[in-house]
Amino acid sequence: MMITELQQTNTTCPYCGVGCGVTVQYQAGEISPTANLTTAQTGSVQPVAGMQAHPANFGRLCVKGSALHETIDHTDRLLYPTMNGKRTSWDKALSLVADKIQQVIHTHGPDAVAFYGSGQLLTEDYYVANKLMKGFIGSANMDTNSRLCMASAVASYKRSLGSDTVPGNYEDLEKTDLLIMVGSNAAWAHPILFQRIVAAKKANPAMKVVVIDPRRTATCDIADLHLAIRPGSDTFLFNALLTYMDQSNALDYSFIHNHTDGIAEALESASASSATFEELAQRLDVSSNDLNLFFEWFRDTPKTVTFYSQGVNQSSAGTDKANAIINLHLATGRIGKEGASPFSITGQPNAMGGREVGGLANQLAAHMDFSAAERDLVRRFWQAPTIAERPGHKAVDLFNAVKEGKIKFLWIMSTNPLVSMPDADDVKEAMKRCELVVVSDCMANTDTTAAAHVLLPAASWGEKNGTVTNSERRISRQRGFLPSPGEAMPDWWIISQVGGRLGHEEAFNYEHASDVFDEHARLSAFENNGKRDFDLSGLVGMSRSQYDALAPIQWPVNDQYPSGRARFFDDGHFYTATGKAKFINVEARLPEVHSQGDLVMNTGRIRDHWHTMTRTAKSARLGQHIAEPYADIHPDDANLRGIKHGDLVEIHNERGHIIVRAQVINDGRQRKGELFVPMHWTNRYASKARMGTLIAKTTDPISGQPELKFTQVNARPFNTAWQGFILSRKDLGPLPADYWIYGVTETGHGYEIADRESPLALIETLKARLPEGDWITLSDPSHNHYRLALLTDGRLQAVIFIHQNYDFGARQWLIERFNDETLSANDRKALLAGRPLGKQADKGAIICSCFQVGENTIKNSIQQGCCTAEALGEALKCGTNCGSCIPELKALIQREALATNAADAMTAE
Ligand code: SF4
């Protein structure tokens, strides 16, 4: 093999809204765009590293980012255009799409056409899709999965500040004296930003962190105060705080007078829902002492940042919650100053880029809406034949309109709404009724691609060029370094081709992503003259090489801010008609009940997976941290229902049911009467775990954002005759069992499995799917106890373990045996024991994904005296890379200490 020199590309991570810079090194000559490139072949791409010079992460990456090179193989990639499951040419597929759009417009009008995009799209892709829909098809039915993520934050900024402008930046989170984190588990969802906060707090011990979240998450690890408020009660809290600040004469009257309107009405409205500390404490279900402390800290700390995320946004009152937060910051003048701002963080890598181009159905383009003047401006700039007249359908309404037959053509781009949308089975039904559903995606086997008529293969991370904007308004280049496999193409190209076939060749005649970016920048500058916050005039006219070399920069970039602007509103100017910010009268209310059930289900992300797992599930180490979907449940709720830790439970309501593993939380992290269920598992990876199928379509009346964190459900044990696991060299596909969870391992494929019937039929099915070979078997049919191992030529092919009960211990030793060319005699004997003869059990469930350190290893070290996370790091390296597992290390230390104390107490007795 010819060894070529290592090349290097700086790009950005495609996961969360922190937007970290990534450096990739690879041997270009070794990469071939074959249709079935495997992980081994992509070995010419070295383990990725954090980009030292990137201002979001300064060289650090979390575990998801550091595993990027493990996710670039072509397994499950969509390689060719298909129509009704049959491969076709690009020409035929694009013509079919364009012809159908034309026919639908002709017969039913432009509003019968809809696009549904994604915060995974690059800004250039988003720009072209939005332009085609709103300027050339003539409807505004272009919405995006960002509606599920931060639409409430957008709506609240616009209501109050006059523009969708994040005032501050990441530095403010480090320079503040009081950081209030609301509805955010940043330790898992935005890990690098969380690590920056951890470091800042360490450097400035006077800095206080308050976490406001019904759950005690890993983020609480750094909290000086945790307010585990009743779900959805946030506005009561912030209104009461505003009233308290007023009554304490602690408002910034000069700022209010000079730069805001509407304080009197806002105070009146806030005081209507305020109460005594005791009453408020009862309403929020927290202690009045804690409330008092929080209020005093807020009153006494001018440098305050309120950092909020999905716990605020994903609510039927999300916009009001966010405005209650912004009211507080306006009333105290804590906005646009170093270490003092409201700060909403986006979930996705380019949710912000989507906002810039108008990716939401209620935006037109470049931070302009549907006023006559702005429509005219955009129409003239695009030379658009038919500009959309009014906002289009927001996500939930959009799929409702599909179901009602009002939308006949639907194009879904790079997203998986059959998993992420509320009432996801109803979305499936809607898609069935649609005349033509097109999905452009890089993955072939998602729940959504299975429901489409036409599939268009899109280029993926590492293959495409463009820009993304992170949560602090910083635009960064995403650069390609891999050839796309099969016939995959960039999204902007696919959409432009359809635009051309609709007769708009000139308007969609782009040759490169840089052409699109230039037009995007020019539109932002067009007749702007300081009227609009979003202005990239300083980036207009870049050559392709300048575009390629573009360093991360915060918008706006213009004459006044040639190097970007760190903070907005530091000059007291807002983008409203009066130039002043507006207080919003916010009426506090609790979420309404829209489902049947006596438990409230909250949903969210876990540490090592991203959204619907299409990429992260390719990495064995990312799958090891949490291998199964689960429900966190309070012990009282579990006891009442006869649910034990580790049981399978059925979570159900009138919409559907899912089956997940119960985690009975004994240490107070989970409130009574509530459950937490992760959002990630799809039909590709689980028999029945799509949590979206349980959620009602309730939305915020202003932002249209669905309430994804407050669903009434019931829970009951899901009793099976047996449980088991399978490890196999071969992917065995979906299994005929009530419960199965699939994931890749370091050496093949793994399943957790359970069923209500005898396992014999399943064992026969598995044998038929596996190669011929020698079976070693141990069985006790009277107890549904089976252990089987399959070897061919001395090499392990599969193991099947089935027991009446679920307690097999760890599987790591067995997983590693698939690496052995020939099993030793001892290991062969030990196979059906699942652990090595005469040696200690394996390392246990992986806690530190970066260095693959397991729970058993960590516990051993703790028992030998490593009693701090730092000591464990020194001994085992765990927690010393991305740091995401540090809260879990601390929890293990605490649990071991409790166990030791309990043992000591028993001995003393
Ligand atoms: S924090 Fe992690 S997931 Fe988010 S952008 Fe950075 S590396 Fe990617």
Side-chain angles (χ1 to χ4, degrees), residues 13 15-16 18-20 61-62 64-65 190-192:
C13 173
Y15 297 128
C16 83
V18 179
C20 298
L61 288 179
C62 79
K64 290 188 287 285
H190 298 100
I192 290 302

Side-chain angles (χ1 to χ4, degrees), residues 12-22 50 56-57 60-68 170 186 188-194 347 349 470 605 607 610 882 884:
T12 48
C13 173
Y15 297 128
C16 83
V18 179
C20 298
V22 176
N57 57 318
R60 299 197 77 169
L61 288 179
C62 79
V63 62
K64 290 188 287 285
S66 357
L68 272 168
Y170 295 165
W188 281 17
H190 298 100
I192 290 302
L193 206 45
F194 181 73
N470 73 4
R605 293 178 185 163
R607 196 189 76 187
W610 175 255
C882 74
S884 309

Side-chain angles (χ1 to χ4, degrees), residues 75-76 445-447 681-686 731 733-734 740 742 751:
T75 315
D76 277 356
N445 301 320
T446 72
D447 299 61
W681 274 266
T682 69
N683 283 353
R684 169 81 174 100
Y685 300 103
D731 181 352
W740 58 262
Y742 166 72
Y751 292 83

